[in-house]
């Protein structure tokens, strides 16, 4: 059952729950882009403050339990969507949403997804192959007729702005669309904590809290282990795309991993949270003698690297065969496992990196996301 809602793209902060309904705040230790509170009657309010980078607007969503729906009155103008919970049918739009659903044990609630070939999880792929998850086109142009026919309780979307005609069409059909901004977080644990965003839709808050605590403990234990390393190997990232070399910015997600893995990342002092656009000459000047090289674009072998650009052969990491990529591990239909699962399991990413840079610390670890070039 869906509640009619009005989506209002306002720059001002949306109204909060009435003062006579004291709320309990969900503890968030690392995520910066959202907050959650639940009032005494059981209504949960989710505030999204970072739906996309540099967003000038936020969104507020109300989640109303079915058992109190009949005697609950909300001012729809205060919310961008009102969702009845627990959700029984959901459409999500990013592969980063899939691991959260699986970890919470609600994969069976997923009924549609754009570009299902990008999904790598074997569990969800089985459901796709059985026809239980509908292919909806692509995120920028979702097949709205099919999405409406699926009768979802909610659609979890993402975007780089509030301009998405497909979402607007779905909203006019009284289907709640909520934005998820997990990808805007700049720290590994910040991204992972977005599992707490999904939890209230299924009334799984306790489980999400337990899962995140375990991931956080594993990550911090691994980070502490890295402090025992006897050195900080130098690292370069990225590669050429149309004559521009993109390296991870000093305040990016990847840079934080490299810091926690106790390396000397050569662009760690830059301020960018995304990537820097450089010439190959400037990268060669700074990183020719770097000990390790991560993610040379989408290249997966040394022969391919050699064919792509002869300048690559001048790097010590090429000569010493110390190049690793997170684009080699793929799902059965070609989806990149790293971009799907790594945000949810940063502890496994960090273990990979420590095994690569400091193999003596984790000698028995089997690389999961990062693989050496072939």
């Amino acid at each position: 059952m869906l509640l009619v809602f009005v989506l209002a793209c306002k720059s001002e902060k949306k109204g909060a729950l009435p003062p006579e309904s004291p709320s309990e705040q969900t503890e968030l230790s690392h995520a910066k882009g959202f907050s959650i509170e639940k009032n005494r009657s059981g209504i949960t309010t989710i505030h999204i403050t970072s739906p996309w980078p540099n967003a000038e607007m936020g969104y507020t969503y109300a989640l109303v339990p079915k058992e109190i729906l009949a005697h609950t009155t909300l001012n729809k103008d205060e919310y961008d969507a009102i969702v009845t919970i627990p959700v029984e049918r959901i459409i999500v739009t990013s592969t980063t949403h899939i691991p959260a659903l699986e970890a919470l044990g609600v994969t069976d609630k997923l009924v549609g997804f754009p570009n299902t070939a990008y999904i790598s999880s074997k569990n969800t792929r089985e459901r796709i192959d059985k026809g239980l998850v509908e292919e909806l086109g692509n995120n920028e142009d979702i097949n709205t007729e099919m999405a409406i026919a699926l009768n979802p309780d909610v659609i979890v979307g993402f975007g780089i702005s509030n301009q998405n005609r497909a979402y607007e069409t779905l909203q006019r059909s009284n289907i709640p669309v909520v934005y998820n901004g997990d990808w805007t977080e700049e720290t590994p644990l910040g991204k992972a904590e977005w599992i707490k965003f999904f939890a209230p839709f299924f009334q799984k808050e306790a489980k999400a809290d337990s899962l995140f605590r375990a991931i956080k403990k594993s990550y911090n234990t691994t980070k502490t282990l890295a402090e025992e390393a006897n050195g900080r190997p130098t690292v370069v990232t990225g590669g050429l795309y149309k004559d521009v070399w993109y390296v991870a910015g000093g305040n990016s997600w990847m840079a934080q991993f490299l810091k926690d893995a106790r390396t000397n990342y050569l662009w760690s002092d830059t301020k960018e949270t995304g990537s820097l656009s450089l010439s190959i000459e400037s990268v060669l000047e700074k990183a020719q003698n770097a000990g390790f090289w991560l993610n040379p674009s989408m290249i997966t072998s040394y022969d391919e690297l050699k064919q792509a650009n002869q300048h690559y052969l001048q790097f010590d990491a090429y000569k010493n065969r110390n190049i690793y990529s997170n684009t080699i591990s793929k799902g059965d239909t070609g989806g990149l496992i790293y971009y799907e699962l790594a945000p949810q399991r940063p502890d496994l990413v960090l273990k990979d990196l420590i095994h690569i840079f400091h193999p003596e610390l984790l000698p028995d670890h089997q690389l999961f996301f990062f693989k050496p070039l072939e």
Side-chain angles (χ1 to χ4, degrees):
M1 181 175 183
L2 298 177
L3 288 178
V4 178
F5 70 92
V6 177
L7 182 75
C9 296
K10 305 172 184 176
S11 59
E12 70 269 23
K13 188 175 179 65
K14 306 297 188 304
L17 290 167
E20 64 269 23
S21 300
S23 59
E24 177 182 340
Q25 196 85 14
T26 295
E27 180 182 353
L28 296 172
S29 56
H30 289 77
K32 304 297 184 184
F34 74 106
S35 63
I36 302 174
E37 57 191 38
K38 179 184 289 188
N39 74 357
R40 190 163 50 192
S41 64
I43 297 174
T44 297
T45 304
I46 300 178
H47 303 278
I48 305 297
T49 55
S50 182
W52 48 79
N54 304 313
E56 296 181 356
M57 64 178 67
Y59 293 88
T60 299
Y61 309 116
L63 281 56
V64 184
K66 293 176 182 178
E67 61 269 21
I68 68 169
L69 185 62
H71 52 84
T72 296
T73 301
L74 291 176
N75 182 352
K76 291 190 286 289
D77 290 337
E78 293 184 351
Y79 303 97
D80 295 298
I82 298 173
V83 183
T84 304
I85 58 172
V87 163
E88 297 295 337
R89 299 174 64 80
I90 189 172
I91 291 173
V92 299
T93 55
S94 169
T95 57
T96 63
H97 304 161
I98 301 298
L101 298 183
E102 294 192 347
L104 292 171
V106 294
T107 311
D108 61 317
K109 310 302 182 185
L110 180 66
V111 296
F113 187 89
N115 289 318
T116 55
Y118 287 140
I119 296 177
S120 300
S121 162
K122 292 186 179 298
N123 184 298
T124 302
R125 289 233 58 84
E126 288 180 3
R127 290 181 50 77
I128 294 169
D129 294 340
K130 292 177 181 178
L132 300 174
V133 179
E134 200 74 46
E135 167 63 54
L136 298 177
N138 63 70
N139 186 54
E140 291 74 26
D141 190 23
I142 289 176
N143 187 319
T144 54
E145 291 185 4
M146 293 180 67
I148 292 169
L150 288 172
N151 193 29
D153 298 318
V154 67
I155 295 177
V156 179
F158 76 94
I160 58 174
S161 73
N162 66 329
Q163 303 300 313
N164 187 310
R165 292 183 178 180
Y167 290 173
E168 292 170 4
T169 298
L170 294 165
Q171 290 158 359
R172 287 195 296 269
S173 298
N174 297 331
I175 297 176
V177 177
V178 302
Y179 278 101
N180 175 292
D182 58 1
W183 62 288
T184 69
E185 296 287 341
E186 297 165 8
T187 65
L189 289 175
K191 288 181 185 287
E193 199 165 18
W194 276 77
I195 193 172
K196 295 181 181 180
F197 162 88
F198 283 97
F201 291 94
F202 306 98
Q203 298 178 323
K204 298 277 188 178
E205 290 92 335
K207 186 168 186 178
D209 188 59
S210 176
L211 288 166
F212 179 71
R213 281 202 312 269
I215 292 168
K216 180 179 178 180
K217 180 179 179 181
S218 176
Y219 188 93
N220 287 333
T221 298
T222 307
K223 178 182 174 181
T224 299
L225 177 65
E227 295 173 2
E228 300 177 12
N230 291 322
R232 291 179 179 268
T234 52
V235 182
V236 58
T237 64
L240 287 171
Y241 179 74
K242 295 183 179 180
D243 298 326
V244 178
W245 189 307
Y246 295 96
V247 305
N251 286 322
S252 67
W253 186 47
M254 177 55 69
Q256 186 63 54
F257 275 126
L258 294 174
K259 177 182 178 181
D260 292 345
R262 197 173 175 81
T263 71
N264 174 19
Y265 176 50
L266 294 173
W267 282 269
S268 63
D269 59 347
T270 60
K271 304 301 182 184
E272 285 78 5
T273 58
S275 60
L276 288 80
S277 305
L278 305 173
S279 67
I280 189 171
E281 292 80 11
S282 65
V283 175
L284 187 60
E285 179 181 1
K286 189 167 187 173
Q288 182 173 0
N289 302 124
F292 292 86
W293 182 357
L294 296 182
N295 305 328
S297 299
M298 298 294 288
I299 292 174
T300 60
S301 73
Y302 286 97
D303 284 343
E304 189 181 353
L305 200 63
K306 181 178 180 180
Q307 294 300 319
N309 195 302
Q310 289 293 310
H311 289 299
Y312 286 152
L313 278 61
Q314 300 179 55
F315 288 88
D316 284 357
Y318 177 92
K319 298 174 185 177
N320 298 325
R321 296 299 194 262
N322 277 336
I323 306 178
Y324 294 79
S325 175
N326 57 23
T327 64
I328 296 174
S329 296
K330 297 179 180 179
D332 292 342
T333 53
L336 298 178
I337 295 174
Y338 179 83
Y339 291 108
E340 178 175 317
L341 183 58
Q344 186 65 45
R345 291 303 306 272
D347 55 324
L348 295 182
V349 177
L350 190 58
K351 288 178 181 179
D352 270 8
L353 295 176
I354 290 176
H355 178 79
I356 291 169
F357 301 130
H358 312 291
E360 73 283 359
L361 298 180
L362 286 175
D364 299 324
H365 175 73
Q366 299 295 312
L367 291 176
F368 187 83
F369 294 113
F370 288 87
K371 305 289 185 181
L373 258 60
E374 300 164 355

